[in-house]
Amino acid sequence: MKILVTGGAGFIGSNFVYYMLDKHPNYDIVCLDALTYAGNLKTLDGALKNPKFKFVKGDIADRELVFDLFEKEEFDIVVNFAAESHVDRSIEDPGIFLKTNILGTQTLMDASRKYNVKRYHQVSTDEVYGDLPLDRPDLFFTEETPIHTSSPYSASKASADLLVQAYHRTFGLPITISRCSNNYGPYHFPEKLIPLMIANALNNKKLPVYGEGLNVRDWLYVEDHCKAIDMIIHDGKVGEVYNIGGHNEKTNIYIVRKILELLGKSEDLITYVTDRKGHDLRYAIDPTKIKNDLGWEPDTMFDDGIVKTVNWYLENKSWWEEIISGEYQDYYEKMYSNR
Ligand code: NAD
Ligand code: DAU
């Protein structure tokens, strides 16, 4: 079995590479990644020592490169993680989100058709469903919830999902789609809530909480997401969408306080800043379908996962310190200085 993992130098893709090399030692894994600001080859140091793993630098929207790679490697399965993934960046500059997330997906699917890939799996997000009200804890996203997006990021991911479903219906491409809730864990880029708050707290910098910190996210430990995708590509039904989430809803301020508590830092570091434009209120996944059809459930509960995550950032300071000492500083200044 040969699997193409796109975006494997990013947060979830790299965790998936390690998960698959460990779980299926006889599989060949090829990672295609453009190494944008979010991609980091150092993250794949361990995988690069494994003869069953190969890294290729390239853009998923580069047709020539993608078609050449598919012709040469004859992939059985494609798992597309590659994306521009940060909502705040999509509000600043939507263009690259459309190119990578929509046209990149189209390019990969065109190549998958031409070279008869047995399964094309699209890694999507719960953000395609928009948001839920804060005062209706009885409501959850199911696979039937209408697509209703808020940010350029979520609109680009939803566009890609529709295109993936169109390629299945029109061309018979054997696809599956997964829509997961917020992930956390090792190798999470420090522009996102949890790693940003850990890094700032460790550096005794202010922790910028948007609005009143009452927005709710449904957090899942990254390895549980990887396990779900592994199950879907092997046992999922072609043409289907699977929601992934572990019923773990928390307000942002709860998360920030928890991180401060684990690090023994003062809550005086919290600063409330101007809210994100169009800020989604609440995400909450109903994972009944993947539980019933594939027997998936999460292994890591939040109280353990957040301790593991904080410890990982403590033990791997060089990984994130190198990131935040580079061009990230310009990003941080632009995003947070006038908030
Ligand atoms: P990330 O930003 O950490 O990593 C994205 C990776 O894609 C990087 O390695 C980057 O270099 C690569 N990439 C970007 N543009 C590319 C291009 N044009 N060609 C090739 N590679 C390119 O993202 P992540 O958080 O790991 O998310 C991975 C996927 O999972 C995305 O599709 C995202 O929409 C989805 N997702 C993320 C979450 C989450 O909580 N982070 C939850 C659900 C779904
Ligand atoms: O739900 C899945 C999605 O989760 C993925 O599709 C996205 O790729 C991923 O980035 C994530 O999107 P969010 O916007 O939910 O994640 P983020 O970490 O950016 O923000 C989480 C919450 O924390 C959100 O309500 C905004 C808030 N926040 C974020 C940052 C960066 C703050 O209060 N302060 C901050 O500085």
PDB file of all heavy atoms in Angstrom, residues 175-195:
ATOM      1  N   ILE A 175     -14.207   8.791  -3.213  1.00  0.00           N
ATOM      2  CA  ILE A 175     -13.802   9.773  -2.192  1.00  0.00           C
ATOM      3  C   ILE A 175     -14.411   9.455  -0.816  1.00  0.00           C
ATOM      4  O   ILE A 175     -15.421   8.757  -0.709  1.00  0.00           O
ATOM      5  CB  ILE A 175     -14.232  11.205  -2.578  1.00  0.00           C
ATOM      6  CG1 ILE A 175     -15.781  11.326  -2.653  1.00  0.00           C
ATOM      7  CG2 ILE A 175     -13.642  11.618  -3.909  1.00  0.00           C
ATOM      8  CD1 ILE A 175     -16.454  11.882  -1.457  1.00  0.00           C
ATOM      9  N   THR A 176     -13.770   9.992   0.221  1.00  0.00           N
ATOM     10  CA  THR A 176     -14.393  10.156   1.531  1.00  0.00           C
ATOM     11  C   THR A 176     -13.985  11.535   2.041  1.00  0.00           C
ATOM     12  O   THR A 176     -12.965  12.086   1.599  1.00  0.00           O
ATOM     13  CB  THR A 176     -13.941   9.075   2.550  1.00  0.00           C
ATOM     14  OG1 THR A 176     -12.558   8.782   2.344  1.00  0.00           O
ATOM     15  CG2 THR A 176     -14.754   7.801   2.433  1.00  0.00           C
ATOM     16  N   ILE A 177     -14.796  12.062   2.960  1.00  0.00           N
ATOM     17  CA  ILE A 177     -14.506  13.373   3.564  1.00  0.00           C
ATOM     18  C   ILE A 177     -14.644  13.219   5.073  1.00  0.00           C
ATOM     19  O   ILE A 177     -15.587  12.572   5.545  1.00  0.00           O
ATOM     20  CB  ILE A 177     -15.527  14.443   3.085  1.00  0.00           C
ATOM     21  CG1 ILE A 177     -15.435  14.658   1.568  1.00  0.00           C
ATOM     22  CG2 ILE A 177     -15.351  15.756   3.839  1.00  0.00           C
ATOM     23  CD1 ILE A 177     -16.491  15.620   1.001  1.00  0.00           C
ATOM     24  N   SER A 178     -13.701  13.824   5.828  1.00  0.00           N
ATOM     25  CA  SER A 178     -13.896  13.867   7.285  1.00  0.00           C
ATOM     26  C   SER A 178     -13.941  15.318   7.732  1.00  0.00           C
ATOM     27  O   SER A 178     -13.216  16.165   7.204  1.00  0.00           O
ATOM     28  CB  SER A 178     -12.774  13.121   8.009  1.00  0.00           C
ATOM     29  OG  SER A 178     -11.509  13.594   7.612  1.00  0.00           O
ATOM     30  N   ARG A 179     -14.822  15.592   8.698  1.00  0.00           N
ATOM     31  CA  ARG A 179     -14.945  16.954   9.232  1.00  0.00           C
ATOM     32  C   ARG A 179     -14.708  16.883  10.734  1.00  0.00           C
ATOM     33  O   ARG A 179     -15.570  16.411  11.485  1.00  0.00           O
ATOM     34  CB  ARG A 179     -16.329  17.530   8.920  1.00  0.00           C
ATOM     35  CG  ARG A 179     -16.540  17.704   7.418  1.00  0.00           C
ATOM     36  CD  ARG A 179     -17.895  18.278   7.085  1.00  0.00           C
ATOM     37  NE  ARG A 179     -18.029  18.429   5.636  1.00  0.00           N
ATOM     38  CZ  ARG A 179     -19.173  18.290   4.973  1.00  0.00           C
ATOM     39  NH1 ARG A 179     -20.295  17.998   5.624  1.00  0.00           N
ATOM     40  NH2 ARG A 179     -19.194  18.440   3.661  1.00  0.00           N
ATOM     41  N   CYS A 180     -13.540  17.343  11.130  1.00  0.00           N
ATOM     42  CA  CYS A 180     -13.133  17.206  12.531  1.00  0.00           C
ATOM     43  C   CYS A 180     -13.252  18.534  13.275  1.00  0.00           C
ATOM     44  O   CYS A 180     -13.215  19.609  12.681  1.00  0.00           O
ATOM     45  CB  CYS A 180     -11.687  16.705  12.587  1.00  0.00           C
ATOM     46  SG  CYS A 180     -11.183  16.200  14.234  1.00  0.00           S
ATOM     47  N   SER A 181     -13.369  18.425  14.576  1.00  0.00           N
ATOM     48  CA  SER A 181     -13.373  19.603  15.452  1.00  0.00           C
ATOM     49  C   SER A 181     -11.927  20.057  15.712  1.00  0.00           C
ATOM     50  O   SER A 181     -10.986  19.497  15.146  1.00  0.00           O
ATOM     51  CB  SER A 181     -14.074  19.246  16.762  1.00  0.00           C
ATOM     52  OG  SER A 181     -13.358  18.199  17.394  1.00  0.00           O
ATOM     53  N   ASN A 182     -11.758  21.050  16.578  1.00  0.00           N
ATOM     54  CA  ASN A 182     -10.419  21.604  16.862  1.00  0.00           C
ATOM     55  C   ASN A 182      -9.481  20.557  17.445  1.00  0.00           C
ATOM     56  O   ASN A 182      -9.813  19.904  18.425  1.00  0.00           O
ATOM     57  CB  ASN A 182     -10.522  22.742  17.883  1.00  0.00           C
ATOM     58  CG  ASN A 182     -11.094  24.003  17.302  1.00  0.00           C
ATOM     59  OD1 ASN A 182     -12.226  24.017  16.844  1.00  0.00           O
ATOM     60  ND2 ASN A 182     -10.316  25.060  17.303  1.00  0.00           N
ATOM     61  N   ASN A 183      -8.299  20.447  16.844  1.00  0.00           N
ATOM     62  CA  ASN A 183      -7.273  19.524  17.334  1.00  0.00           C
ATOM     63  C   ASN A 183      -6.300  20.261  18.250  1.00  0.00           C
ATOM     64  O   ASN A 183      -6.101  21.465  18.122  1.00  0.00           O
ATOM     65  CB  ASN A 183      -6.446  18.977  16.166  1.00  0.00           C
ATOM     66  CG  ASN A 183      -7.178  17.943  15.336  1.00  0.00           C
ATOM     67  OD1 ASN A 183      -6.567  17.033  14.800  1.00  0.00           O
ATOM     68  ND2 ASN A 183      -8.483  18.041  15.203  1.00  0.00           N
ATOM     69  N   TYR A 184      -5.646  19.494  19.135  1.00  0.00           N
ATOM     70  CA  TYR A 184      -4.527  20.028  19.912  1.00  0.00           C
ATOM     71  C   TYR A 184      -3.535  18.894  20.137  1.00  0.00           C
ATOM     72  O   TYR A 184      -3.897  17.713  20.035  1.00  0.00           O
ATOM     73  CB  TYR A 184      -5.001  20.637  21.243  1.00  0.00           C
ATOM     74  CG  TYR A 184      -5.532  19.606  22.217  1.00  0.00           C
ATOM     75  CD1 TYR A 184      -4.761  19.162  23.287  1.00  0.00           C
ATOM     76  CD2 TYR A 184      -6.791  19.038  22.048  1.00  0.00           C
ATOM     77  CE1 TYR A 184      -5.237  18.196  24.164  1.00  0.00           C
ATOM     78  CE2 TYR A 184      -7.269  18.066  22.912  1.00  0.00           C
ATOM     79  CZ  TYR A 184      -6.479  17.652  23.966  1.00  0.00           C
ATOM     80  OH  TYR A 184      -6.944  16.686  24.816  1.00  0.00           O
ATOM     81  N   GLY A 185      -2.273  19.258  20.431  1.00  0.00           N
ATOM     82  CA  GLY A 185      -1.250  18.232  20.657  1.00  0.00           C
ATOM     83  C   GLY A 185       0.095  18.705  20.138  1.00  0.00           C
ATOM     84  O   GLY A 185       0.289  19.895  19.844  1.00  0.00           O
ATOM     85  N   PRO A 186       1.078  17.767  20.002  1.00  0.00           N
ATOM     86  CA  PRO A 186       2.430  18.123  19.566  1.00  0.00           C
ATOM     87  C   PRO A 186       2.465  18.729  18.158  1.00  0.00           C
ATOM     88  O   PRO A 186       1.643  18.372  17.311  1.00  0.00           O
ATOM     89  CB  PRO A 186       3.167  16.778  19.543  1.00  0.00           C
ATOM     90  CG  PRO A 186       2.368  15.871  20.387  1.00  0.00           C
ATOM     91  CD  PRO A 186       0.951  16.339  20.325  1.00  0.00           C
ATOM     92  N   TYR A 187       3.432  19.587  17.919  1.00  0.00           N
ATOM     93  CA  TYR A 187       3.702  20.206  16.600  1.00  0.00           C
ATOM     94  C   TYR A 187       2.597  21.152  16.128  1.00  0.00           C
ATOM     95  O   TYR A 187       2.457  21.402  14.934  1.00  0.00           O
ATOM     96  CB  TYR A 187       3.956  19.135  15.519  1.00  0.00           C
ATOM     97  CG  TYR A 187       5.101  18.198  15.816  1.00  0.00           C
ATOM     98  CD1 TYR A 187       4.888  16.833  15.982  1.00  0.00           C
ATOM     99  CD2 TYR A 187       6.403  18.681  15.912  1.00  0.00           C
ATOM    100  CE1 TYR A 187       5.940  15.963  16.254  1.00  0.00           C
ATOM    101  CE2 TYR A 187       7.457  17.821  16.186  1.00  0.00           C
ATOM    102  CZ  TYR A 187       7.223  16.461  16.351  1.00  0.00           C
ATOM    103  OH  TYR A 187       8.266  15.608  16.618  1.00  0.00           O
ATOM    104  N   HIS A 188       1.793  21.674  17.060  1.00  0.00           N
ATOM    105  CA  HIS A 188       0.741  22.640  16.698  1.00  0.00           C
ATOM    106  C   HIS A 188       1.395  24.004  16.543  1.00  0.00           C
ATOM    107  O   HIS A 188       2.074  24.489  17.459  1.00  0.00           O
ATOM    108  CB  HIS A 188      -0.293  22.659  17.831  1.00  0.00           C
ATOM    109  CG  HIS A 188      -1.645  23.123  17.433  1.00  0.00           C
ATOM    110  ND1 HIS A 188      -2.691  23.174  18.319  1.00  0.00           N
ATOM    111  CD2 HIS A 188      -2.148  23.554  16.252  1.00  0.00           C
ATOM    112  CE1 HIS A 188      -3.777  23.614  17.706  1.00  0.00           C
ATOM    113  NE2 HIS A 188      -3.470  23.861  16.444  1.00  0.00           N
ATOM    114  N   PHE A 189       1.207  24.642  15.418  1.00  0.00           N
ATOM    115  CA  PHE A 189       1.894  25.902  15.115  1.00  0.00           C
ATOM    116  C   PHE A 189       1.441  26.999  16.090  1.00  0.00           C
ATOM    117  O   PHE A 189       0.233  27.202  16.283  1.00  0.00           O
ATOM    118  CB  PHE A 189       1.589  26.318  13.670  1.00  0.00           C
ATOM    119  CG  PHE A 189       2.483  27.414  13.164  1.00  0.00           C
ATOM    120  CD1 PHE A 189       3.712  27.116  12.588  1.00  0.00           C
ATOM    121  CD2 PHE A 189       2.109  28.742  13.283  1.00  0.00           C
ATOM    122  CE1 PHE A 189       4.544  28.125  12.126  1.00  0.00           C
ATOM    123  CE2 PHE A 189       2.938  29.758  12.816  1.00  0.00           C
ATOM    124  CZ  PHE A 189       4.153  29.453  12.240  1.00  0.00           C
ATOM    125  N   PRO A 190       2.400  27.751  16.668  1.00  0.00           N
ATOM    126  CA  PRO A 190       2.053  28.679  17.758  1.00  0.00           C
ATOM    127  C   PRO A 190       1.316  29.951  17.355  1.00  0.00           C
ATOM    128  O   PRO A 190       1.346  30.934  18.094  1.00  0.00           O
ATOM    129  CB  PRO A 190       3.422  29.007  18.376  1.00  0.00           C
ATOM    130  CG  PRO A 190       4.412  28.675  17.338  1.00  0.00           C
ATOM    131  CD  PRO A 190       3.842  27.603  16.476  1.00  0.00           C
ATOM    132  N   GLU A 191       0.574  29.917  16.235  1.00  0.00           N
ATOM    133  CA  GLU A 191      -0.372  31.002  15.934  1.00  0.00           C
ATOM    134  C   GLU A 191      -1.768  30.624  16.442  1.00  0.00           C
ATOM    135  O   GLU A 191      -2.646  31.472  16.526  1.00  0.00           O
ATOM    136  CB  GLU A 191      -0.440  31.255  14.419  1.00  0.00           C
ATOM    137  CG  GLU A 191      -1.051  30.084  13.662  1.00  0.00           C
ATOM    138  CD  GLU A 191      -0.946  30.169  12.152  1.00  0.00           C
ATOM    139  OE1 GLU A 191      -0.602  31.232  11.618  1.00  0.00           O
ATOM    140  OE2 GLU A 191      -1.200  29.133  11.491  1.00  0.00           O
ATOM    141  N   LYS A 192      -1.976  29.345  16.753  1.00  0.00           N
ATOM    142  CA  LYS A 192      -3.297  28.842  17.154  1.00  0.00           C
ATOM    143  C   LYS A 192      -3.439  28.922  18.672  1.00  0.00           C
ATOM    144  O   LYS A 192      -2.443  28.933  19.401  1.00  0.00           O
ATOM    145  CB  LYS A 192      -3.477  27.397  16.679  1.00  0.00           C
ATOM    146  CG  LYS A 192      -3.198  27.185  15.187  1.00  0.00           C
ATOM    147  CD  LYS A 192      -4.333  27.663  14.311  1.00  0.00           C
ATOM    148  CE  LYS A 192      -3.976  27.726  12.838  1.00  0.00           C
ATOM    149  NZ  LYS A 192      -3.578  26.485  12.219  1.00  0.00           N
ATOM    150  N   LEU A 193      -4.690  28.944  19.156  1.00  0.00           N
ATOM    151  CA  LEU A 193      -4.956  29.281  20.557  1.00  0.00           C
ATOM    152  C   LEU A 193      -4.054  28.555  21.560  1.00  0.00           C
ATOM    153  O   LEU A 193      -3.341  29.200  22.337  1.00  0.00           O
ATOM    154  CB  LEU A 193      -6.436  28.998  20.901  1.00  0.00           C
ATOM    155  CG  LEU A 193      -6.788  29.347  22.357  1.00  0.00           C
ATOM    156  CD1 LEU A 193      -6.938  30.847  22.544  1.00  0.00           C
ATOM    157  CD2 LEU A 193      -8.060  28.640  22.805  1.00  0.00           C
ATOM    158  N   ILE A 194      -4.097  27.215  21.590  1.00  0.00           N
ATOM    159  CA  ILE A 194      -3.417  26.492  22.680  1.00  0.00           C
ATOM    160  C   ILE A 194      -1.899  26.686  22.652  1.00  0.00           C
ATOM    161  O   ILE A 194      -1.310  27.130  23.653  1.00  0.00           O
ATOM    162  CB  ILE A 194      -3.859  25.003  22.703  1.00  0.00           C
ATOM    163  CG1 ILE A 194      -5.319  24.947  23.193  1.00  0.00           C
ATOM    164  CG2 ILE A 194      -2.927  24.161  23.583  1.00  0.00           C
ATOM    165  CD1 ILE A 194      -5.912  23.562  23.361  1.00  0.00           C
ATOM    166  N   PRO A 195      -1.214  26.436  21.521  1.00  0.00           N
ATOM    167  CA  PRO A 195       0.242  26.640  21.547  1.00  0.00           C
ATOM    168  C   PRO A 195       0.649  28.102  21.726  1.00  0.00           C
ATOM    169  O   PRO A 195       1.680  28.390  22.349  1.00  0.00           O
ATOM    170  CB  PRO A 195       0.702  26.093  20.189  1.00  0.00           C
ATOM    171  CG  PRO A 195      -0.513  26.057  19.336  1.00  0.00           C
ATOM    172  CD  PRO A 195      -1.679  25.867  20.241  1.00  0.00           C
TER     173      PRO A 195
END
